[in-house]
């Protein structure tokens, strides 16, 4: 993990400095350096011939419980839970987006580009490899907690404040729960993608 982070951080800085004239694309393309963060995990999995638990497409039909993911009075298939979640967060974020801002279509292009790169690579890293590792070592509940909190703290180096990192930890725990229940990454990648688009459009990122 340390080797991957060092490779990722140094290459991201090189990309940012190389594109210093265009801050938005510098941030977007610097996320490609997450490939170098994933690489040591992928090599370790290949060498040990141990497939990570959640490095799969995942199921949309598995039951998820509300509000505690594994337990709760309300149960729904993941696809319906995801649909309700996305409608709620899109409704909330709609009040924080300046729909009349100039160059809004350009911003949408930035949002889609950033979200696609970031959601796919971060989910491969955090849920595909890191969550799988912690769940294998500590069980589902402890592994979910460790991976989720670490996911939030990791965002501090990206310039987010501690309160925002705490929110990302909660979000990380939720996404880890979806990955565990679905046994894969596609549902949580969709969740992550939509959230990243909303973050960019609302001005939280870029």
């Amino acid at each position: 993990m340390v080797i991957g982070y060092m490779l990722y951080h140094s290459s991201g800085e090189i990309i940012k400095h190389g594109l210093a004239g265009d801050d938005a694309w510098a941030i977007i393309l610097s996320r490609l350096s997450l490939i170098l963060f994933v690489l040591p995990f992928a090599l370790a999995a290949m060498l040990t011939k141990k497939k990570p638990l959640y490095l799969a497409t995942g199921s949309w039909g598995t039951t998820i419980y509300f509000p505690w993911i594994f337990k709760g009075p309300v149960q729904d298939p993941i696809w319906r839970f995801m649909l309700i979640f996305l409608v709620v967060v899109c409704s909330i974020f709609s009040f924080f987006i300046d729909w009349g801002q100039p160059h809004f279509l350009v911003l949408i292009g930035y949002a889609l580009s950033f979200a696609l790169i970031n959601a796919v690579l971060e989910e491969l890293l955090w849920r595909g490899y890191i969550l799988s590792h912690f769940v294998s070592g500590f069980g589902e509940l402890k592994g979910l907690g460790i991976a989720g909190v670490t996911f939030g703290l990791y965002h501090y180096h990206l310039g987010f404040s501690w309160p925002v990192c705490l929110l990302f930890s909660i979000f990380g725990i939720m996404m880890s729960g979806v990955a565990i229940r679905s046994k894969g990454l596609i549902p949580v990648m969709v969740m992550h993608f939509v959230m990243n688009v909303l973050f960019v459009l609302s001005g939280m990122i870029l």
Side-chain angles (χ1 to χ4, degrees), residues 91-102:
S91 299
I92 293 172
F93 270 88
S94 67
F95 293 100
F96 299 95
I97 297 173
D98 181 4
W99 299 99
Q101 63 183 291

Side-chain angles (χ1 to χ4, degrees), residues 82-99 101 104 107-108 110-116 118-119 160 168 171 190-206:
M82 193 73 67
L83 185 60
I84 294 170
F85 172 81
L86 294 178
V87 168
V88 170
V89 296
C90 286
S91 299
I92 293 172
F93 270 88
S94 67
F95 293 100
F96 299 95
I97 297 173
D98 181 4
W99 299 99
Q101 63 183 291
F104 188 65
L107 184 61
I108 291 175
Y110 285 146
L112 295 174
S113 301
F114 175 86
L116 181 61
N118 197 60
F160 292 100
F168 279 135
F171 187 45
V190 171
M191 188 179 186
H192 200 148
F193 175 84
V194 173
M195 290 299 295
N196 278 171
V197 169
L198 295 173
F199 287 157
V200 174
L201 294 181
S202 65
M204 192 172 177
I205 300 174
L206 304 186

Side-chain angles (χ1 to χ4, degrees), residues 32 51 90 100 114-115 129 139 169 173:
L32 285 171
K51 184 181 178 182
C90 286
F114 175 86
Y129 287 104
S169 291
I173 289 172

Side-chain angles (χ1 to χ4, degrees), residues 83-188:
L83 185 60
I84 294 170
F85 172 81
L86 294 178
V87 168
V88 170
V89 296
C90 286
S91 299
I92 293 172
F93 270 88
S94 67
F95 293 100
F96 299 95
I97 297 173
D98 181 4
W99 299 99
Q101 63 183 291
H103 311 299
F104 188 65
L105 290 178
V106 174
L107 184 61
I108 291 175
Y110 285 146
L112 295 174
S113 301
F114 175 86
L116 181 61
I117 294 170
N118 197 60
V120 170
L121 293 179
E122 280 201 344
E123 288 311 315
L124 281 174
L125 173 66
W126 286 98
R127 260 57 68 177
Y129 287 104
I130 295 176
L131 175 65
S132 293
H133 174 77
F134 284 129
V135 168
S136 294
F138 300 102
E140 287 184 347
L141 290 179
K142 288 183 180 179
L144 177 151
I146 296 169
V149 171
T150 307
F151 175 77
L153 297 179
Y154 144 86
H155 283 81
Y156 183 73
H157 90 279
L158 296 175
F160 292 100
S161 65
W162 285 115
V164 173
C165 289
L166 176 60
L167 291 175
F168 279 135
S169 291
I170 296 170
F171 187 45
I173 289 172
M174 183 183 297
M175 291 193 296
S176 295
V178 171
I180 290 172
R181 295 300 298 164
S182 70
K183 302 294 182 186
L185 299 181
I186 296 301
V188 78

